[in-house]
Amino acid sequence: AFPLLLRHGFVGTFFLTTAPIDTQNPDFLSWDEVREMAAAGMRFEPHSYDHPDLRNRGFQFLVFQIVGPRDAIQERTGEPARFFAYPSGRYDDFVIDVLKSADFWGAVLTEQGATHTTDGLFTLKRVRVQGGDDLDTFIRKLKLDW
């Protein structure tokens, strides 16, 4: 997607699970690719360390899964990471409390939607672009009020 985003002058936001990057899994971005894309204006935010269900977990576990990846991203991109994507959309009130205590501004769900209010910054729906979406489908998704 990166070359297409550049070609069309778009900026993308990528939510990273950092364990596969740390272990150099070839099916995922590398930290060098993250740095290259960040230098070109792409945004990176954490999606946890290794994509667990965060519900009903202790404080230390959540800090490891949330703050560790955020710090790794910030260190490598030089940009603040302010939003979090819940793994598989799963969260509970304690996860939100940890995010707020770590100075996150919000978090995104897996639910499709584009209409937001400031009351729901930690339960933001999002417009998910799928691999098979063409440019017309992408534009149509952005024009929906949902």
Side-chain angles (χ1 to χ4, degrees), residues 98-142:
V98 170
L99 288 167
K100 288 179 178 178
S101 73
D103 296 324
F104 279 86
W105 292 356
V108 297
L109 305 170
T110 56
E111 298 173 38
Q112 288 276 58
T115 303
H116 304 114
T117 68
T118 56
D119 292 340
L121 292 177
F122 287 85
T123 55
L124 295 169
K125 295 178 181 178
R126 59 186 165 154
V127 177
R128 297 183 76 183
V129 179
Q130 304 299 321
D133 289 353
D134 60 19
L135 187 56
D136 290 334
T137 301
F138 176 67
I139 291 169
R140 189 170 48 256
K141 284 182 177 181
L142 291 180

Side-chain angles (χ1 to χ4, degrees), residues 46-134:
H47 186 43
S48 77
Y49 184 69
D50 59 4
H51 209 269
D53 185 341
L54 299 178
R55 297 173 297 180
N56 302 308
R57 299 296 189 126
F59 179 76
Q60 292 298 329
F61 181 85
L62 293 177
V63 167
F64 177 80
Q65 290 290 336
I66 295 169
V67 177
R70 180 201 57 198
D71 292 350
I73 291 166
Q74 290 180 163
E75 178 183 315
R76 286 164 175 92
T77 65
E79 296 292 329
R82 301 286 191 202
F83 290 87
F84 185 78
Y86 300 113
S88 301
R90 296 184 179 117
Y91 68 98
D92 58 24
D93 289 339
F94 189 57
V95 175
I96 292 174
D97 290 343
V98 170
L99 288 167
K100 288 179 178 178
S101 73
D103 296 324
F104 279 86
W105 292 356
V108 297
L109 305 170
T110 56
E111 298 173 38
Q112 288 276 58
T115 303
H116 304 114
T117 68
T118 56
D119 292 340
L121 292 177
F122 287 85
T123 55
L124 295 169
K125 295 178 181 178
R126 59 186 165 154
V127 177
R128 297 183 76 183
V129 179
Q130 304 299 321
D133 289 353
D134 60 19

